[in-house]
Amino acid sequence: MPELFHRKLERSTIGFVIAIIAAASVGGIVEIAPLFTIDETVEEAPDMRVYTPLELAGRNIYVREGCYACHSQMIRTLRDEVERYGPYSLAVESQYDRPMLWGSKRTGPDLARIGGKYSDFWHVAHLNNPRDVVPESNMPAYRWLGRTALKTEDLPLHLAAQKALGVPYTDEMVENAARDAYGQATPDTDFAAGVSERYGDATEVSAFDGVATQLTEMDALVAYLQVLGRLTDAAYRNTAATEQPADPAN
Amino acid sequence: MLANLTSSERQNALVLAVAVALAGAVMAIAGRADVLGIHGLIVALFGGVVAWLVMASFYAPEPAEDRAASYYDDPIKVGIVLAMAWAVFGMFMGVWVAAQLAWPNLAFDAAWSTFGRLRPTHTTGVIFGFGGNALIATSFHVVQRTSRARLAGQVSPWFVLLGFNLFCVLAVSGYLLGVTQSKEYAEAEWYADIWLVIVWVTYFILYVATIARRKEPHIYVANWYFMAFILVVAILHIVNNLALPVSWGLAKSYTIWPGVQDAMVQWWYGHNAVAFFLTAGFLGMLYYYLPVRAQRPIFSYRLSILSFWGITFFYMWAGSHHLHYTALPHWVQTLGMTFSVMLLVPSWASAGNALLTLNGAWHRVRDDATLRFMMAAAVFYGLSTFEGSFMAIRPVNSLSHYTDWTVGHVHAGALGWVALITFGSLYTLVPSLWKRERMYSAALVELHFWLAIAGTVIYVFAMWNSGIIQGLMWRTYTEEGALAYSFVDSLVAMYPYYIARAFGGLLFLLGALVGCYNIWMTVRAAPAAATRGADAPVVPAAVPGE
Amino acid sequence: MDFSHDTLVAISKSWGLFYMMAFFLGVCAYAFWPRNRTRFDRAKHSILDRDDTPWQR
């Protein structure tokens, strides 16, 4: 019987194709299928806010420039990582991240909790030429970011797409996306008031690149870097112990 | 090349090329305010050039011979040339980005030339450009020879080959322009992804239809690997790239997978791209070209079947070992670790099978650098799969992850296994395809071999050192219980290794250039093995290297 | 249709295992089935035949 079955399987190429799918899919199904319901296991973080349009634009610049190739955004549950970078990352912290930027390589340090650790001024100086502030750095200089105007007219479309995928942006947020992006980088204007109103008072409104008159890609990227790890404080409330590496004294 | 097409096939080719050009024009108009417009122009230009080429010999005489009596080798020849061109491009980019890590000012203060934008041009250039073209070319060759049948299409092989290269061009030019999904090894944006699906489905149908033309009930095992490669890559590509474009006029899209799901899907894809693109496909090469070159049948056919199913089955589970100690559920991490370790069994079965095939032909391995390429590839395959299983163990991974050790591991596989088996296969294939007695220069093959080995060894040792040092520095504590080193301390320790790595990569690139020259001269100048009749089926080629 | 996370995990852990074992046995049976030996031997040697034209109908 098995002989006949195999003969048939081999005769028809299609049977063989199905066998390959059967073999290959099971691993995918077993591992992936439960993850469709993973939201049930993700921690709750009622205080978590969404990215502002300016931060989202900054995130897209981070993606565009391939920063993830050298910087992770995932603090592992290891003692040395927690002491170096802060509380380990929780799944909930990247619930609005499309794509996730956990990264796979640290040529530079982890950035999951970089927000608020340095001043805006430091970030701008560092991005303009990393070696001005960290002489040993091998990071590229990103001088043109401060010279390039941020494209804001598409931002409502970006927020609408995110909303369609399930990120809780309100219609008002979508509508005002371009204005809010401008407002977040121009404190003390009417536009700025709208940002605090829609995204909360804790949202940092600042002339990120030091120039309040023009909205540049530098503003957006620094705004994004400054919010990393600060969308929720769930990680700081989490008290689970870290894991020890095999031989920490080594 | 068009001389082999009938007039109706030429019409089909023209219609396809014009359709692509029109689609490009639509993209250019819809995306005129965005980089999408530039890509539209590239697509339109690509379609236009192909249409022009078809037009140029549209009215040439039609083929008189019975085409079913000969194999269809033209697309294979073009595929080999494209593979070598991408090899030089991708490896050059690799050397450049490696040098940037040691000398950051090599970005020359431009946006397109920063590390983050160049790095995916390197990975896409070598994996898809070099590896993909080599796989398409060799799979077309192997499927015809083992099925004893001509390819099941006349235009479709060209569509697959050129369409795939259009994808590669869109991907690589996109990264330079800042178009990326930032999903590692799947960075190309939505429209390029959709195009690749069309191309890939055509590839699959063509392959299956060609196998269906065989007389022998059994399908030779190399085809199993190629089929698994084509089929599973299609599944992986589609699932991983499901995304919602921001608008039809913008290149940017957002993946449908958020956060932790995206991480799992991404590495399920990422690791299986290693499995089915960089392993299964190249094992297909190994199981055909190694026995042919050694003139010995494979040591154990049964073992090759067992390891085929083992690899197809186990690899699918292993992806989560990229996410140890992260926010991914613990049981998924453990599952990934377990199957990664089990994967060692079929992997070593394949490597052992290849080496045992050579048992009794070691004198030939000594004398023939082409065979030695394949032997070394099998050795590196064994080493890097062992290393991979080892690194998937959680405590080991806690040290190796995020460090250069991972980069070294990948290159032990990519340079030592993928590139060496490809060069070995191409050096076997090129003389037989162009009806030459042998390669233009055996000495240059020998030189290439040693450049490649030296480059790989220097690269891998540099990265082992840097990775382990980095990992240990990050977790070293002083006696007072504080972290001993700042991050910058660990970076400073890396510089010598980054320079060594760039040097190793440079040697490997030089080897590839030597290979290009040798292949070019073989096509141009090496003595013909037999005169080629204008319309008669080809005479059996002399056995290469004998 | 109530597929909670725990159900799916349980299904994965039980049926996934059975699936794997059945698959393993099937593959072994195929590879070691005595009557397949001749076919495998023929395939093994077929690629060394020095014939460079397709078979003709």
Side-chain angles (χ1 to χ4, degrees):
Chain A
M1 178 57 202
E3 160 69 356
L4 204 86
F5 174 70
H6 285 303
R7 183 176 286 273
K8 237 179 161 173
L9 200 67
E10 268 187 53
R11 258 290 176 204
S12 73
T13 327
I14 298 303
F16 189 69
V17 166
I18 291 168
I20 293 179
I21 295 179
S25 64
V26 63
I29 290 168
V30 169
E31 275 191 38
I32 299 283
L35 290 174
F36 286 112
T37 52
I38 196 106
D39 44 333
E40 293 172 27
T41 66
V42 170
E43 314 79 358
E44 297 273 306
D47 63 328
M48 185 158 175
R49 76 160 168 87
V50 292
Y51 292 110
T52 64
L54 188 66
E55 289 155 8
L56 185 68
R59 192 170 199 277
N60 289 340
I61 293 168
Y62 186 101
V63 164
R64 185 188 75 193
E65 300 305 332
C67 305
Y68 62 91
C70 292
H71 294 283
S72 58
Q73 289 186 20
M74 171 48 62
I75 301 166
R76 295 181 294 171
T77 55
L78 299 167
R79 179 184 152 202
D80 58 298
E81 299 221 344
V82 170
E83 287 181 12
R84 190 180 297 277
Y85 300 117
Y88 61 79
S89 300
L90 302 179
V92 70
E93 291 180 278
S94 42
Q95 66 173 332
Y96 301 139
D97 287 4
R98 293 167 198 272
M100 60 88 199
L101 294 171
W102 293 7
S104 60
K105 175 70 173 66
R106 285 181 187 152
T107 304
D110 187 277
L111 299 182
R113 308 212 180 282
I114 196 73
K117 280 196 184 158
Y118 299 89
S119 65
D120 296 342
F121 181 77
W122 185 92
H123 277 297
V124 173
H126 182 250
L127 284 164
N128 272 327
N129 184 16
R131 279 155 293 287
D132 286 349
V133 279
V134 185
E136 305 88 343
S137 171
N138 63 350
M139 184 172 130
Y142 290 91
R143 290 189 186 87
W144 76 90
L145 290 177
R147 298 193 296 259
T148 312
L150 184 71
K151 219 174 141 192
T152 53
E153 65 271 21
D154 299 335
L155 280 171
L157 289 173
H158 284 260
L159 263 66
Q162 294 256 331
K163 185 166 181 273
L165 290 168
V167 181
Y169 284 110
T170 62
D171 290 335
E172 203 194 341
M173 287 172 172
V174 173
E175 235 166 79
N176 292 294
R179 264 181 296 277
D180 286 348
Y182 182 75
Q184 198 180 349
T186 48
D188 311 319
T189 59
D190 293 345
F191 297 116
V195 177
S196 314
E197 183 190 313
R198 277 183 280 278
Y199 296 91
D201 291 330
T203 305
E204 189 183 349
V205 177
S206 157
F208 292 97
D209 67 355
V211 185
T213 46
Q214 202 203 358
L215 189 59
T216 62
E217 296 196 332
M218 185 68 87
D219 283 310
L221 185 57
V222 174
Y224 172 62
L225 291 173
Q226 291 293 30
V227 82
L228 276 175
R230 295 164 87 193
L231 291 176
T232 167
D233 61 359
Y236 294 88
R237 280 183 272 116
N238 186 308
T239 50
T242 58
E243 290 181 56
Q244 297 288 327
D247 186 8
N250 200 345
Chain B
M1 305 265 168
L2 276 145
N4 262 321
L5 300 182
T6 62
S7 65
S8 72
E9 284 159 359
R10 287 175 202 174
Q11 279 169 22
N12 291 344
L14 188 63
V15 168
L16 276 173
V18 170
V20 169
L22 286 178
V26 171
M27 270 169 73
I29 294 165
R32 62 195 175 281
D34 191 59
V35 274
L36 183 66
I38 301 174
H39 268 166
L41 289 177
I42 292 177
V43 173
L45 193 70
F46 192 94
V49 168
V50 174
W52 181 74
L53 286 173
V54 175
M55 282 301 287
S57 50
F58 198 74
Y59 297 107
E62 289 196 28
E65 66 188 286
D66 175 17
R67 289 184 303 184
S70 65
Y71 294 123
Y72 197 15
D73 287 345
D74 292 345
I76 306 175
K77 291 177 179 173
V78 175
I80 291 172
V81 172
L82 287 168
M84 291 308 289
W86 278 106
V88 171
F89 169 80
M91 288 172 195
F92 171 76
M93 285 302 183
V95 174
W96 188 5
V97 290
Q100 281 195 1
L101 287 182
W103 301 285
N105 288 329
L106 286 176
F108 307 116
D109 218 7
W112 63 271
S113 59
T114 49
F115 181 90
R117 292 201 190 182
L118 292 189
R119 188 230 182 209
T121 69
H122 162 60
T123 54
T124 302
V126 292
I127 296 174
F128 296 106
F130 171 52
N133 275 304
L135 284 169
I136 291 175
T138 54
S139 71
F140 282 171
H141 181 251
V142 170
V143 73
Q144 292 188 91
R145 266 50 178 199
T146 54
S147 305
R148 303 278 317 274
R150 190 182 166 92
L151 282 177
Q154 304 300 322
V155 179
S156 52
W158 291 111
F159 178 77
V160 171
L161 184 70
L162 298 178
F164 180 74
N165 279 280
L166 176 59
F167 165 79
C168 293
V169 167
L170 287 181
V172 166
S173 60
Y175 311 148
L176 297 175
L177 294 165
V179 179
T180 170
Q181 296 190 103
S182 88
K183 283 173 163 260
E184 280 187 76
Y185 317 113
E187 291 94 343
E189 267 293 355
W190 59 275
Y191 47 94
D193 289 335
I194 292 173
W195 172 245
L196 186 62
V197 171
I198 299 170
V199 169
W200 213 254
V201 168
T202 315
Y203 186 18
F204 175 68
I205 294 170
L206 174 66
Y207 205 83
V208 169
T210 307
I211 289 182
R213 289 185 165 192
R214 77 195 187 283
K215 192 170 57 176
E216 177 75 14
H218 184 75
I219 303 172
Y220 183 69
V221 73
N223 290 312
W224 299 24
Y225 286 92
F226 280 124
M227 262 173 48
F229 146 67
I230 300 169
L231 192 60
V232 180
V233 166
I235 300 172
L236 299 168
H237 174 75
I238 292 171
V239 174
N240 187 42
N241 285 304
L242 290 172
L244 181 68
V246 170
S247 100
W248 298 117
L250 291 175
K252 176 79 186 165
S253 69
Y254 290 107
T255 172
I256 69 159
W257 310 111
V260 62
Q261 268 169 317
D262 188 37
M264 186 59 228
V265 171
Q266 155 72 57
W267 286 112
W268 171 78
Y269 166 88
H271 198 74
N272 284 305
V274 174
F276 289 91
F277 210 100
L278 298 178
T279 303
F282 291 90
L283 281 172
M285 273 189 209
L286 177 89
Y287 279 119
Y288 182 79
Y289 293 104
L290 179 82
V292 164
R293 186 73 188 186
Q295 282 300 297
R296 301 170 63 81
I298 194 79
F299 168 72
S300 166
Y301 199 80
R302 279 178 180 157
L303 199 54
S304 70
I305 291 172
L306 289 174
S307 46
F308 171 78
W309 290 111
I311 284 171
T312 310
F313 194 78
F314 288 158
Y315 252 117
M316 276 292 176
W317 307 60
S320 51
H321 67 221
H322 288 258
L323 300 167
H324 281 329
Y325 301 98
T326 67
L328 193 75
H330 201 286
W331 71 271
V332 186
Q333 298 182 27
T334 311
L335 198 67
M337 172 172 99
T338 314
F339 276 86
S340 303
V341 174
M342 285 162 74
L343 199 48
L344 189 60
V345 177
S347 300
W348 272 28
S350 295
N353 208 351
L355 292 176
L356 286 169
T357 303
L358 295 172
N359 210 1
W362 292 112
H363 62 285
R364 233 182 263 159
V365 176
R366 187 193 60 207
D367 297 337
D368 179 7
T370 303
L371 197 54
R372 217 179 312 127
F373 261 112
M374 297 196 241
M375 190 275 297
V379 171
F380 271 107
Y381 178 64
L383 287 176
S384 51
T385 48
F386 172 76
E387 192 186 22
S389 295
F390 182 62
M391 289 167 78
I393 300 170
R394 287 182 97 234
V396 180
N397 195 269
S398 75
L399 177 74
S400 74
H401 194 53
Y402 292 135
T403 73
D404 286 318
W405 189 356
T406 310
V407 181
H409 165 63
V410 170
H411 282 82
L415 301 176
W417 155 240
V418 172
L420 292 192
I421 190 69
T422 305
F423 289 133
S425 301
L426 291 187
Y427 285 143
T428 309
L429 179 54
V430 164
S432 94
L433 215 51
W434 271 277
K435 316 296 171 201
R436 307 290 183 229
E437 216 169 285
R438 52 186 163 72
M439 288 299 293
Y440 165 71
S441 162
L444 288 180
V445 178
E446 191 77 28
L447 176 66
H448 183 185
F449 176 79
W450 289 110
L451 281 171
I453 292 291
T456 308
V457 169
I458 292 172
Y459 192 113
V460 171
F461 271 89
M463 291 294 95
W464 274 342
N465 275 295
S466 69
I468 292 171
I469 291 173
Q470 210 174 16
L472 290 176
M473 284 178 89
W474 289 345
R475 62 162 63 169
T476 301
Y477 282 85
T478 60
E479 283 182 10
E480 293 77 40
L483 289 166
Y485 300 102
S486 71
F487 190 90
V488 167
D489 291 337
S490 74
L491 173 64
V492 170
M494 295 303 104
Y495 276 99
Y497 302 108
Y498 285 163
I499 294 171
R501 180 256 293 270
F503 178 67
L506 180 66
L507 291 185
F508 205 89
L509 169 66
L510 290 176
L513 286 168
V514 170
C516 284
Y517 174 74
N518 204 359
I519 289 174
W520 180 248
M521 292 307 283
T522 307
V523 173
R524 291 296 304 268
T531 46
R532 196 175 178 186
D535 55 354
V538 287
V539 225
V543 179
E546 286 280 38
Chain C
M1 287 291 281
D2 184 30
F3 283 119
S4 74
H5 183 68
D6 290 336
T7 340
L8 281 175
V9 171
I11 291 173
S12 298
K13 285 180 179 173
S14 54
W15 292 107
L17 184 66
F18 292 139
Y19 192 160
M20 185 181 84
M21 292 193 318
F23 205 94
F24 175 72
L25 292 176
V27 168
C28 282
Y30 172 67
F32 290 103
W33 206 261
R35 260 196 288 172
N36 281 343
R37 173 187 279 275
T38 46
R39 184 181 311 173
F40 292 162
D41 274 345
R42 200 164 59 221
K44 189 167 151 172
H45 291 99
S46 67
I47 58 163
L48 300 177
D49 296 346
R50 298 181 186 183
D51 196 344
D52 207 30
T53 45
W55 65 278
Q56 297 289 302
R57 281 185 183 85

